[in-house]
Amino acid sequence: MKYCQGPQCHTYDTKDRKRGTKGNKVNQTRRRSNMYYGKGNFCSMQCYNDWAEEFSDRAIDYFGRITQPIVLTEDNAWRKRYRWGYGDEGDRHIIYNMLTSEERPLTEAQYNDSNYTLNT
Ligand SMILES: [Zn+2]
């Protein structure tokens, strides 16, 4: 079990966050074995966004702010695609270059092989 990392999680009004008896009631951060947002760190998209709102700038400065564009070159712009066809042009697997628009046919085995790529 772990706690949601949302800094405002305890402020949302739901039954499962409430603890304590009359005169002693509190709302507390959700605790769960599985959470589905932000790599399992947040109980909801709202909590994920709250974290981003409060900590994004500091986290980015800490891990390295992007100050120049990251570039995709022709060498690593190949993406697998599946083309639906009809008639003589049946369905086919291709690998497509996002920058040059070049297409090359793939076998189904190559398409399904997650290690197969033309990216260099
Ligand atoms: Zn939460």
Side-chain angles (χ1 to χ4, degrees):
M1 299 280 272
K2 57 185 178 180
Y3 289 104
C4 172
Q5 296 302 300
Q8 305 300 326
C9 191
H10 64 290
T11 67
Y12 296 113
D13 193 22
T14 62
K15 221 170 185 175
D16 68 304
R17 290 178 168 100
K18 296 187 192 309
R19 296 288 185 280
T21 51
K22 197 175 178 184
N24 221 351
K25 294 190 182 214
V26 297
N27 249 25
Q28 70 177 29
T29 298
R30 271 182 174 152
R31 188 171 180 229
R32 291 185 174 165
S33 51
N34 275 314
M35 289 180 277
Y36 303 104
Y37 302 91
K39 294 229 160 200
N41 288 302
F42 302 94
C43 74
S44 68
M45 205 61 204
Q46 180 69 61
C47 283
Y48 190 17
N49 287 337
D50 289 343
W51 188 95
E53 187 64 35
E54 190 160 339
F55 298 115
S56 286
D57 276 338
R58 279 196 269 163
I60 290 168
D61 286 336
Y62 181 81
F63 292 109
R65 188 170 288 275
I66 294 169
T67 55
Q68 293 171 19
I70 301 169
V71 174
L72 185 70
T73 59
E74 290 183 16
D75 283 353
N76 54 22
W78 294 97
R79 298 292 181 270
K80 291 174 180 177
R81 293 220 175 135
Y82 187 74
R83 278 271 149 82
W84 299 91
Y86 51 87
D88 293 341
E89 290 269 334
D91 294 350
R92 60 211 151 101
H93 302 89
I94 61 162
I95 195 158
Y96 168 84
N97 192 293
M98 291 168 57
L99 296 176
T100 64
S101 299
E102 184 186 347
E103 288 183 15
R104 295 185 194 172
L106 288 183
T107 66
E108 190 168 352
Q110 288 169 331
Y111 181 83
N112 291 328
D113 178 355
S114 57
N115 291 319
Y116 183 85
T117 180
L118 294 182
N119 291 331
T120 54

